[in-house]
Amino acid sequence: MSQPQSLGIDVEILRRLSRNRLVRVLEDAPGAKDLIIDGDLMKMLDRISGATLLRSHGVEKMYRLDRLPPPVQSAQRVYVVQPSLVALKYVADHVHSDKLNHPDINIHLVIVPRLVSWVTPLLEEEGLYGAVTLHEFTPDFIPLDDDLLSLEMTSFFRNAFLEGDFSGCISVARAINTLQGLYGRIPNVVAHGRAAKAVMNALEVLKEQESPKKMPQKVVNEFNTVCSIRNLKAPEIGHLFIFDRDADYVTPLLTQLTYEGVLDEYFGIQAGVVEFPADVVGQDNPRKVPLNSKDTIYDNIRNRHFAGVSSYLITRAREVKAKKDQAQNMTTGEMRDFVANELRTLQALQATLGLHLKACEAITKSMRRDFETQLSTEHGLVTRAGNSGKAQKFLKDCLARMLPLAGNLRLLCLYSLTQDGISRREYEDIASQVLTAHGHKHLITLHHLRQLGMLAVADTSSVSTVNNAPLQDRLAQVTSLLPKKGFGWRSAAKRLRLIPDADEPVDLHNPTHMSYVYNGAYTPAIPKVVGDALSGRGVQYLSDNLKVLPGTTTITTPPAGSPSGPRVALVVVLGGITFAEVAAFRLLALTSATRIILASTNTATGAQLVAAAVHE
Amino acid sequence: MSRAENEAYWGSTDTAPSALDSFFDEDSEVNWTGYSVSYNRPLKPASPSGSGDEVTTGKQVDPGNTSITDNITQHSSTDWLVVDTGGTGNSGERLAKGVGKAIGEKLDSWKPPSVSIKWNTSQGHGSGSCVQCAAKDNEISQLKKRLENSYSRYNLTLPPDDTVNRILLGQPYSLECYRSHEDKLALLDTALSTMDGSAILATLLHMKNTVKKSIFIKEMQIRPHASHLYISYLKKRRNYAEAIDFLGLLGRSEDAAILAYELALSSRTPEHKVKNMKKALDNSFTDPSLSHEAKIVMDHIKLLERQMAIDEADCNDQTNPMLIKYPRAANIIDKSLLTTLFYCCMYHWVASESHVGSPLALRKAHSFTDAQVLWTVLRGRARVNHWPLPSELGSWLGSKGILGTLGSITSAFSSAGKGTTSGIKATLPIEQVVHTLSASCAPANVLAVYIALIDSMETRLKLAINYKCHQAVIEVHIAQKDRDALEKYMKEIPTGSPEFLKADAALKSVKWKN
């Protein structure tokens, strides 16, 4: 459903920029070298460059970073890692053991996406300061599709929202800045949340930095080649929206129902590629299939409600078969023509249709028997049509049956948020059942979920002790209460009109309303807010509305008289965007005649967000 | 100042500004006497006492060359003398090289007055009145202190935003020059306002390394974001002990307790885990608001101790037929409570309550809900191809344990017989139970018993037909007095089978509606 007219914005250029930057980093270690890559970065590097490109720049062998060092073959080795302690520890151990046997070896360490301040002292502690040459590689947004960009920063959510480390935000800002370099400074900006604020701050710093005299020559050249004149032109992107994931947890917690969302939940889509297990592809080995709009069949089904996908695929398969059957009655000439031109396309179509039909079948088969109950419970909770006692009973039953942890926690969090926070007593009751089913260690997991604000518990016990607690206790409590997360979801949903009118039927298969992604029970909040903003309701209305979501808002509008920019919007979601939201945005793009480009730190499911809090 | 004026002033072009530069070189001693001549003259226009001018020193000093010449003559200041007499004559020079160019320039501008002081004090008023001399010395030393302070506060430190932006942009930076507490705080707060984790961590670690703990804690208490990051950092560096200590000092007892528990869990062996959990319980879970959490940790210890005992009994047990028939996939240590119950139901179903692995003993030792027990018993037994009937589950219902459960009041009335089935019906979603049993290949007669527990005839029929449970289908048709449907269904049942006979008998005896 991506829009046919591209409006002059070609996101593929981003891949080229990232690739050039990667090449430059590789050339900083000239000559032959072995590459040792952090497993978490493999997918991202894969999308930027192929192995051929790496080889043409001196890369001989590539290894995945592991505890034990790979054999030394080249005189240089280049480590490409994230700034994570484990990865750096491995690198340090490797260097120690390699230097012992090969004192002449050159070690380069490329930190992705950013050389944070504590890396150098850590190397110093390991006695490796100076023994290792440090580099930084900051990728730009990687285009997963014409309208979907990702930085593939899979640990951003945990780092930012659980550990309070927003150091990834500057990398996001750099990526946005590249887009602004290419398409002009975006005049209208709405940023909501703490991470969004950090990105805005970083954008400001980068803007100052960019005044030409301050720019290093290398960067100037790069910008000159791609975008020098564009900066002076009218902006090609009119609106920038930046949201924190924690502004709306309810959306990812709900079970996704669009085909793409379901694929992500069942098989996992990583950087735009799904790996179908062997039994789905009908071969001995699992198969990786890229999912994007270049595949016309996939483009037609990705945003459909899952319930309508099979029938669509079957209809299409019949058409294709009918076309092939026509060949039976063809003359020899026609036949030759058919074989030369159409047959291959038809066969490819048939293969794709067959693959997705198999995937649908596999998903339907593995769906839980009580899938309907699960859905009606979730939707009952958000619309409040359901009985919350019944929902709690269902949740406890799921726990007693020891259903998978992520699913159970997801339902628990959804329950707590939609109740505007559960009481301490209720929490203790459910918590002990969670721990009985999944292990006591998840006391830590529940603690993390509460820190994230995904599990909303009214803190009555600490309030009662507040009066006689020492000052420092009270201070700590006051500050811990500051971000009042999850306690006003219901009024937020009402204010933003996220719950559609129950009397108005939503057509799931020819959708006109964004709530179709959740059976018409709920409209994802971020697309809804963006939709309202694009409909031109004014800044005041927008900022009033955003007040009900956790976090603070910054709104920038162009000075009066200057152009407000074309109807092209860049929406950045920090901490992961779900495919259900992507589908809602694609519908919004159609209904509001706006080109919407989505950008995120990564694509995510509710299960992945919950997993970020899970202990071990 | 024009050249002509300059000459008039100095009386000689030798003292042109360019020559002054060498005046301060390390080997410039030779020039001193040469200049001294022209020096004394201009002392007159300036006030020789010096005290009036000293305060305004900073203002009058101008980095431009011309004003340096002005200042040399008019001015008396203190610092150079002190530095000089202290035997570290060119420490200023060295400092100037250490910090950036801008500061170097500022320092340059400071030199000339100091030199003039030397002249003033040692020669101008040399052996004059000693009282005046002492007062002046006193003043000089005070001013020295002030100047030194002002050096560190305003002259040597870069503006905090510059440094923070450098960290942000990945450029080289140094925090050494932020020495005063105000500077450190300003730096930290600037970093906090950008929210950048890398900058905040760098600045807060600088503070941590340079101030005593109590001050650090005090500043962290009012900066929750900084303390949050610091704790994450300590955890990342596996410095749990310090993180727990720090959280305790911040008054965040729950966070400290959870972290202490996390640390205990990282122990390698289960024995150590138990020991460390007990230690954590004593040290970190004492706050009464943590009673729930403390109970969970106690429960965890109890479970782990039992799991160790079970494992010890089972790992070499050659007599238990279940262990031989279904070899253990893994040992039970560190598994959840329900998994443990599952295990006990599989392997120790018949064990007496005194046996460590007895499921009944486990049920009594820990608190479970009825739903948890029933589901686990059903699934655990199904795993070894035993499908308990609802009547067999009676003994599991309700609270038999010492600790008791919330559900005990309702189940107290349903201890046996009919009560059992209604208790099960109230506890479990029977439809789901039938799905589960069928998935574990339960025989049709067991399924039929569970299907019969469902109230809705429609659901019963649907399930029974779905799972080809003839007995249940026949029962529904009989209950509905639907002869046509039964006769039709009998075609599906093998002739002569017990179900067939039962249906056949029913056709003859029951009163049908059609």
Side-chain angles (χ1 to χ4, degrees):
Chain A
M1 266 188 247
S2 61
Q3 295 205 300
Q5 78 273 27
S6 77
L7 287 166
I9 291 182
D10 174 18
V11 289
E12 276 300 313
I13 200 167
L14 294 171
R15 201 190 303 271
R16 241 167 36 227
L17 283 173
S18 289
R19 192 179 300 162
N20 292 348
R21 206 168 297 150
L22 179 65
V23 164
R24 218 156 40 218
V25 171
L26 289 177
E27 287 301 324
D28 276 347
K33 60 208 144 234
D34 287 342
L35 213 58
I36 299 154
I37 306 169
D38 193 333
D40 291 346
L41 295 172
M42 291 269 189
K43 292 257 160 28
M44 188 262 292
L45 289 176
D46 233 18
R47 299 299 169 272
I48 295 175
S49 120
T52 336
L53 179 84
L54 297 182
R55 292 201 194 288
S56 69
H57 292 278
V59 174
E60 301 204 319
K61 288 248 163 27
M62 280 177 264
Y63 303 95
R64 179 187 287 264
L65 179 67
D66 214 336
R67 201 168 55 79
L68 294 172
V72 174
Q73 271 152 341
S74 307
Q76 293 191 99
R77 49 182 42 185
V78 179
Y79 288 89
V80 185
V81 298
Q82 288 180 311
S84 85
L85 188 95
V86 178
L88 290 169
K89 218 47 181 168
Y90 282 174
V91 173
D93 291 347
H94 288 196
V95 177
H96 281 305
S97 79
D98 287 346
K99 285 261 177 183
L100 212 62
N101 303 318
H102 308 269
D104 295 333
I105 195 165
N106 273 327
I107 313 274
H108 296 265
L109 180 56
V110 183
I111 308 283
V112 183
R114 180 188 175 194
L115 182 51
V116 286
S117 62
W118 53 270
V119 169
T120 326
L122 186 86
L123 290 175
E124 198 177 335
E125 273 171 43
E126 289 281 344
L128 293 175
Y129 187 83
V132 170
T133 317
L134 284 169
H135 307 266
E136 187 178 74
F137 171 55
T138 310
D140 275 306
F141 283 120
I142 296 154
L144 302 182
D145 213 326
D146 294 338
D147 60 351
L148 181 59
L149 313 175
S150 164
L151 281 169
E152 290 306 309
M153 293 164 74
T154 43
S155 45
F156 184 93
F157 179 72
R158 188 188 162 97
N159 286 347
F161 299 112
L162 187 59
E163 292 175 3
D165 178 1
F166 295 93
S167 57
C169 289
I170 178 111
S171 311
V172 179
R174 280 186 196 274
I176 295 175
N177 210 38
T178 305
L179 282 173
Q180 295 201 115
L182 290 166
Y183 304 118
R185 197 156 290 283
I186 305 171
N188 300 282
V189 184
V190 176
H192 184 86
R194 289 176 297 158
K197 181 168 174 275
V199 170
M200 292 299 288
N201 285 337
L203 276 173
E204 210 41 51
V205 173
L206 290 172
K207 191 173 150 193
E208 275 169 38
Q209 179 70 8
E210 238 165 56
S211 55
K213 63 175 177 354
K214 275 193 173 177
M215 239 199 251
Q217 197 52 42
K218 208 163 64 174
V219 184
V220 174
N221 288 343
E222 183 183 337
F223 267 76
N224 282 345
T225 47
V226 248
C227 54
S228 60
I229 325 137
R230 303 220 196 198
N231 254 331
L232 307 170
K233 280 198 338 191
E236 288 177 65
I237 300 174
H239 301 264
L240 169 63
F241 297 90
I242 309 176
F243 288 94
D244 281 16
R245 178 69 275 169
D246 66 359
D248 175 24
Y249 278 140
V250 168
T251 298
L253 290 173
L254 290 166
T255 302
Q256 300 190 71
L257 295 169
T258 61
Y259 183 58
E260 198 161 28
V262 172
L263 282 184
D264 197 11
E265 303 254 0
Y266 274 81
F267 303 112
I269 299 176
Q270 288 177 309
V273 176
V274 71
E275 187 170 318
F276 285 125
D279 57 315
V280 172
V281 285
Q283 290 161 348
D284 292 341
N285 294 313
R287 196 171 119 203
K288 287 180 182 166
V289 181
L291 300 174
N292 53 47
S293 54
K294 288 194 191 97
D295 177 344
T296 51
I297 289 179
Y298 184 67
D299 197 32
N300 266 301
I301 53 173
R302 69 198 310 187
N303 301 318
R304 274 174 198 265
H305 193 284
F306 186 74
V309 173
S310 301
S311 59
Y312 172 85
L313 288 171
I314 289 166
T315 321
R316 286 299 305 273
R318 285 212 187 102
E319 283 168 25
V320 173
K321 189 164 182 299
K323 264 196 189 159
K324 263 179 128 181
D325 287 348
Q326 280 173 7
Q328 309 271 314
N329 312 322
M330 282 176 185
T331 63
T332 329
E334 280 172 342
M335 189 64 139
R336 193 177 299 131
D337 196 48
F338 175 77
V339 172
N341 300 318
E342 256 183 290
L343 186 60
R344 188 180 288 271
T345 335
L346 286 181
Q347 271 169 345
L349 277 179
Q350 238 173 355
T352 316
L353 289 166
L355 183 68
H356 288 296
L357 267 172
K358 279 236 179 75
C360 283
E361 203 181 305
I363 291 166
T364 317
K365 235 196 242 165
S366 65
M367 263 182 191
R368 273 159 53 187
R369 286 270 175 196
D370 56 350
F371 185 71
E372 287 298 324
T373 322
Q374 170 86 25
L375 275 193
S376 62
T377 306
E378 288 180 9
H379 298 160
L381 282 172
V382 285
T383 57
R384 221 165 204 190
N387 173 322
S388 73
K390 229 169 122 187
Q392 201 197 88
K393 192 163 192 301
F394 178 69
L395 167 63
K396 288 181 175 173
D397 193 56
C398 289
L399 289 168
R401 285 158 64 196
M402 292 179 73
L403 294 178
L405 174 69
N408 284 347
L409 292 177
R410 215 167 146 172
L411 187 57
L412 166 61
C413 292
L414 183 69
Y415 175 73
S416 77
L417 286 172
T418 51
Q419 303 301 304
D420 279 350
I422 53 178
S423 73
R424 179 79 195 180
R425 183 195 293 264
E426 202 176 355
Y427 165 72
E428 286 176 4
D429 177 33
I430 300 176
S432 56
Q433 296 192 29
V434 171
L435 306 185
T436 304
H438 298 289
H440 291 80
K441 66 176 181 194
H442 291 298
L443 181 63
I444 301 161
T445 304
L446 294 176
H447 186 72
H448 288 166
L449 286 171
R450 278 162 59 203
Q451 283 183 325
L452 283 168
M454 239 194 252
L455 176 57
V457 181
D459 232 346
T460 46
S461 67
S462 62
V463 169
S464 61
T465 57
V466 87
N467 288 327
N468 45 21
L471 176 72
Q472 58 186 44
D473 276 17
R474 264 183 286 162
L475 265 175
Q477 267 152 5
V478 168
T479 47
S480 74
L481 288 176
L482 275 181
K484 269 169 60 185
K485 284 181 199 157
F487 293 98
W489 181 81
R490 195 148 290 288
S491 62
K494 205 171 164 192
R495 168 100 205 189
L496 299 174
R497 288 176 298 121
L498 301 181
I499 316 298
D501 197 343
D503 302 331
E504 235 174 90
V506 170
D507 187 342
L508 298 181
H509 304 302
N510 299 294
T512 51
H513 193 276
M514 287 190 280
S515 65
Y516 91 96
V517 299
Y518 292 121
N519 273 5
Y522 176 72
T523 317
I526 297 174
K528 182 76 167 70
V529 170
V530 171
D532 286 350
L534 289 174
S535 68
R537 288 190 197 251
V539 174
Q540 194 54 44
Y541 178 83
L542 188 61
S543 72
D544 283 352
N545 263 358
L546 282 168
K547 272 191 197 123
V548 296
L549 293 178
T552 52
T553 317
T554 324
I555 298 181
T556 317
T557 46
S562 62
S564 69
R567 287 191 75 78
V568 180
L570 174 67
V571 182
V572 182
V573 182
L574 302 167
I577 191 169
T578 65
F579 282 107
E581 286 168 307
V582 172
F585 269 119
R586 283 177 180 147
L587 180 63
L588 176 66
L590 284 181
T591 55
S592 68
T594 310
R595 169 133 196 234
I596 297 178
I597 300 168
L598 302 168
S600 184
T601 48
N602 55 314
T603 55
T605 64
Q608 285 163 355
L609 296 185
V610 166
V614 171
H615 177 68
E616 258 134 77
Chain B
M1 192 182 283
S2 75
R3 192 181 169 86
E5 278 175 307
N6 211 3
E7 277 177 31
Y9 199 53
W10 287 91
S12 159
T13 49
D14 284 347
T15 50
S18 60
L20 267 175
D21 285 346
S22 63
F23 188 84
F24 302 104
D25 284 346
E26 281 175 9
D27 54 346
S28 64
E29 287 286 325
V30 255
N31 291 329
W32 279 92
T33 46
Y35 287 107
S36 63
V37 185
S38 53
Y39 217 111
N40 279 333
R41 243 176 49 199
L43 271 176
K44 279 173 219 154
S47 68
S49 70
S51 58
D53 288 314
E54 276 158 2
V55 191
T56 54
T57 296
K59 217 164 50 185
Q60 291 193 2
V61 170
D62 190 310
N65 276 333
T66 45
S67 61
I68 288 179
T69 60
D70 283 342
N71 281 306
I72 281 190
T73 52
Q74 295 180 350
H75 211 40
S76 49
S77 185
T78 53
D79 61 315
W80 200 247
L81 167 79
V82 177
V83 172
D84 224 357
T85 47
T88 52
N90 40 28
S91 70
E93 294 261 348
R94 276 194 252 114
L95 259 171
K97 277 170 197 157
V99 294
K101 199 179 154 218
I103 297 162
E105 280 169 8
K106 281 182 190 164
L107 277 175
D108 280 343
S109 69
W110 280 100
K111 290 168 200 162
S114 64
V115 177
S116 68
I117 293 297
K118 178 159 188 164
W119 281 99
N120 278 335
T121 44
S122 62
Q123 298 198 352
H125 306 274
S127 54
S129 61
C130 265
V131 185
Q132 212 183 346
C133 189
K136 201 163 263 176
D137 278 349
N138 196 11
E139 200 172 352
I140 283 167
S141 73
Q142 278 179 4
L143 284 165
K144 171 207 160 195
K145 270 189 198 130
R146 273 167 62 186
L147 197 66
E148 273 179 349
N149 284 341
S150 71
Y151 260 137
S152 88
R153 295 252 328 256
Y154 302 111
N155 293 24
L156 292 186
T157 53
L158 288 166
D161 349 4
D162 280 8
T163 303
V164 167
N165 284 354
R166 294 187 77 82
I167 306 178
L168 211 63
L169 296 166
Q171 296 163 347
Y173 62 90
S174 162
L175 305 181
E176 299 273 309
C177 54
Y178 298 89
R179 305 288 296 270
S180 82
H181 197 56
E182 289 77 12
D183 283 346
K184 286 173 197 165
L185 285 182
L187 187 68
L188 178 60
D189 286 334
T190 311
L192 279 169
S193 74
T194 67
M195 300 189 63
D196 179 58
S198 180
I200 299 171
L201 207 55
T203 54
L204 85 84
L205 287 178
H206 172 64
M207 173 178 272
K208 198 239 157 196
N209 293 333
T210 51
V211 302
K212 66 174 179 179
K213 201 172 171 185
S214 61
I215 297 180
F216 181 63
I217 300 283
K218 196 183 110 225
E219 300 301 347
M220 286 296 115
Q221 264 168 351
I222 51 176
R223 289 172 178 79
H225 187 192
S227 53
H228 188 182
L229 259 178
Y230 182 56
I231 291 153
S232 302
Y233 172 77
L234 290 174
K235 275 166 76 176
K236 222 182 275 179
R237 303 293 305 263
R238 301 286 185 273
N239 198 343
Y240 281 83
E242 197 172 332
I244 294 163
D245 181 43
F246 180 71
L247 280 168
L249 290 168
L250 288 184
R252 288 165 57 182
S253 51
E254 184 178 355
D255 294 335
I258 297 287
L259 204 56
Y261 176 59
E262 198 175 329
L263 174 64
L265 291 188
S266 66
S267 322
R268 268 163 217 264
T269 66
E271 289 82 9
H272 278 107
K273 238 180 234 184
V274 168
K275 201 180 101 206
N276 290 332
M277 274 197 274
K278 283 179 177 163
K279 214 163 80 190
L281 206 52
D282 289 342
N283 295 333
S284 305
F285 285 85
T286 46
D287 192 316
S289 68
L290 296 173
S291 60
H292 173 249
E293 283 75 12
K295 220 173 76 202
I296 285 165
V297 177
M298 279 188 265
D299 204 42
H300 193 180
I301 296 170
K302 201 162 72 178
L303 176 64
L304 199 52
E305 283 172 340
R306 179 179 290 265
Q307 286 171 337
M308 282 152 63
I310 294 173
D311 191 55
E312 205 186 319
D314 286 358
C315 66
N316 292 313
D317 190 346
Q318 301 294 326
T319 57
N320 184 339
M322 298 311 275
L323 284 166
I324 293 155
K325 196 171 171 195
Y326 302 95
R328 303 188 306 162
N331 77 36
I332 193 62
I333 290 171
D334 273 344
K335 300 290 189 296
S336 79
L337 183 52
L338 283 194
T339 308
T340 312
L341 182 62
F342 185 98
Y343 176 99
C344 293
C345 288
M346 261 182 89
Y347 293 115
H348 302 288
W349 183 249
V350 292
S352 72
E353 244 187 83
S354 56
H355 187 278
V356 66
S358 151
L360 271 170
L362 183 71
R363 197 235 184 289
K364 280 185 181 173
H366 292 268
S367 76
F368 293 87
T369 65
D370 283 347
Q372 287 175 326
V373 173
L374 292 186
W375 269 116
T376 311
V377 167
L378 274 174
R379 292 189 314 120
R381 291 313 292 162
R383 178 70 190 71
V384 291
N385 296 324
H386 168 232
W387 296 272
L389 293 172
S391 54
E392 290 176 71
L393 294 172
S395 60
W396 293 96
L397 260 181
S399 155
K400 297 274 198 294
I402 307 150
L403 293 170
T405 58
L406 284 171
S408 61
I409 303 149
T410 46
S411 50
F413 297 103
S414 53
S415 50
K418 272 209 154 99
T420 307
T421 52
S422 67
I424 289 168
K425 263 165 75 176
T427 316
L428 297 181
I430 301 296
E431 208 182 323
Q432 191 60 40
V433 172
V434 174
H435 291 316
T436 307
L437 287 173
S438 157
S440 69
C441 309
N445 61 332
V446 176
L447 284 185
V449 177
Y450 280 95
I451 290 174
L453 292 178
I454 297 171
D455 291 330
S456 152
M457 286 295 165
E458 218 176 304
T459 316
R460 272 164 78 168
L461 192 61
K462 200 181 78 196
L463 277 173
I465 292 173
N466 189 13
Y467 289 121
K468 297 206 169 39
C469 180
H470 305 313
Q471 193 186 328
V473 178
I474 296 164
E475 278 170 14
V476 172
H477 289 322
I478 293 173
Q480 290 183 326
K481 300 185 170 61
D482 190 346
R483 175 197 280 266
D484 290 353
L486 183 62
E487 279 180 334
K488 218 166 119 197
Y489 189 77
M490 279 179 73
K491 295 188 183 93
E492 308 272 326
I493 313 172
T495 324
S497 67
E499 290 94 345
F500 187 89
L501 295 177
K502 188 184 170 185
D504 205 42
L507 280 177
K508 285 167 194 147
S509 58
V510 178
K511 204 168 165 237
W512 301 95
K513 70 173 180 197
N514 50 16

